[in-house]
Amino acid sequence: MDGSDSIDQQEWEQEKSFVSRLVNDLDISKDAIHAGVVIYSADIGDHIGLTPFKPKPVLRARITTLRHPTGISTNTAKGIERVRETFMSQPANRKGAQKILIVITDGSSENPQATLEQAKLAKEQGIRIFSVGVGNNIFTEELKQIASSEKKYYPVPDFNALRSIEADVREMICRVITTTKTPPVTFAPPTTPPFIPPPQ
């Protein structure tokens, strides 16, 4: 989540609400989706990690308290790098889980070359990247290159319009994620031995 100073307080609340609603609509559970948040501006701000697992009510409560750092620049590269590190620290039993990163920003990163390099490393790490560009002055080409494909790039005119892409983003997440669960173990009842009458 971009927390730079180009975002005012009302827009910050709208950005948090968008993330909170996405979390609410997903299957968050120990055996399904785990979610975290990284705030970035000139540096990394608040961070909700993937471990230990946090249930949906805890995640949504934590999102409401995320602080707006209002840094003077947008270090998107550092934000992506922190997410890469977060995924690499996952426990062994989650290594096979699909990894998705949603980058939300209202403008160009301070170092586009470093940002694209971090996005490339993330993709090589198996992370699917969605990019959400907010505003009329966003750098479309950079955000398209950050995303894993053009279909995973979502432009909106302002933060209030984030609501208009919620269903599409949620649907794309569900397409990417494959939740595997151990099938239930069934036991056959013991077979009753046949009755053999004693010899006369």
Side-chain angles (χ1 to χ4, degrees):
M1 291 175 62
D2 185 352
S4 56
D5 64 350
S6 58
I7 298 169
D8 63 32
Q9 191 57 40
Q10 181 181 2
E11 292 169 334
W12 176 245
E13 294 302 324
Q14 290 169 331
E15 185 176 3
K16 290 196 298 182
S17 294
F18 169 68
V19 174
S20 180
R21 289 192 301 270
L22 269 184
V23 165
N24 189 57
D25 289 342
L26 295 173
D27 181 15
I28 306 287
S29 71
K30 284 189 176 182
D31 296 326
I33 299 172
H34 294 196
V37 180
V38 172
I39 307 300
Y40 68 95
S41 56
D43 209 335
I44 298 299
D46 289 345
H47 175 216
I48 303 175
L50 294 172
T51 54
F53 168 75
K54 299 164 191 66
K56 189 179 296 188
V58 173
L59 273 173
R60 298 192 73 200
R62 289 280 299 276
I63 289 168
T64 63
T65 66
L66 292 170
R67 294 169 295 181
H68 187 189
T70 64
I72 59 173
S73 61
T74 306
N75 196 338
T76 311
K78 187 166 282 190
I80 296 174
E81 182 180 33
R82 174 58 65 88
V83 171
R84 288 181 52 235
E85 293 168 352
T86 300
F87 277 126
M88 285 189 286
S89 66
Q90 285 220 89
N93 66 337
R94 294 290 298 179
K95 294 299 184 184
Q98 293 284 0
K99 297 180 282 288
I100 295 176
L101 161 61
I102 303 174
V103 178
I104 307 171
T105 184
D106 75 334
S108 174
S109 60
E110 67 175 27
N111 188 336
Q113 183 176 350
T115 298
L116 295 179
E117 178 61 25
Q118 284 298 324
K120 178 175 177 287
L121 291 171
K123 292 167 190 173
E124 290 173 353
Q125 196 176 320
I127 301 171
R128 309 287 186 90
I129 305 179
F130 299 12
S131 62
V132 178
V134 184
N136 296 318
N137 298 316
I138 55 175
F139 287 68
T140 301
E141 285 310 310
E142 180 184 351
L143 292 173
K144 284 182 179 179
Q145 290 180 65
I146 289 172
S148 295
S149 69
E150 284 200 22
K151 288 184 177 180
K152 294 181 176 65
Y153 163 56
Y154 300 89
V156 292
D158 52 50
F159 282 92
N160 190 50
L162 286 170
R163 287 181 175 273
S164 67
I165 63 169
E166 283 176 21
D168 289 342
V169 172
R170 182 176 63 249
E171 182 181 346
M172 185 63 76
I173 291 171
C174 293
R175 284 184 190 176
V176 170
I177 289 176
T178 54
T179 303
T180 56
K181 297 183 180 180
T182 305
V185 179
T186 58
F187 297 94
T191 303
T192 304
F195 174 72
I196 304 175
Q200 297 297 324

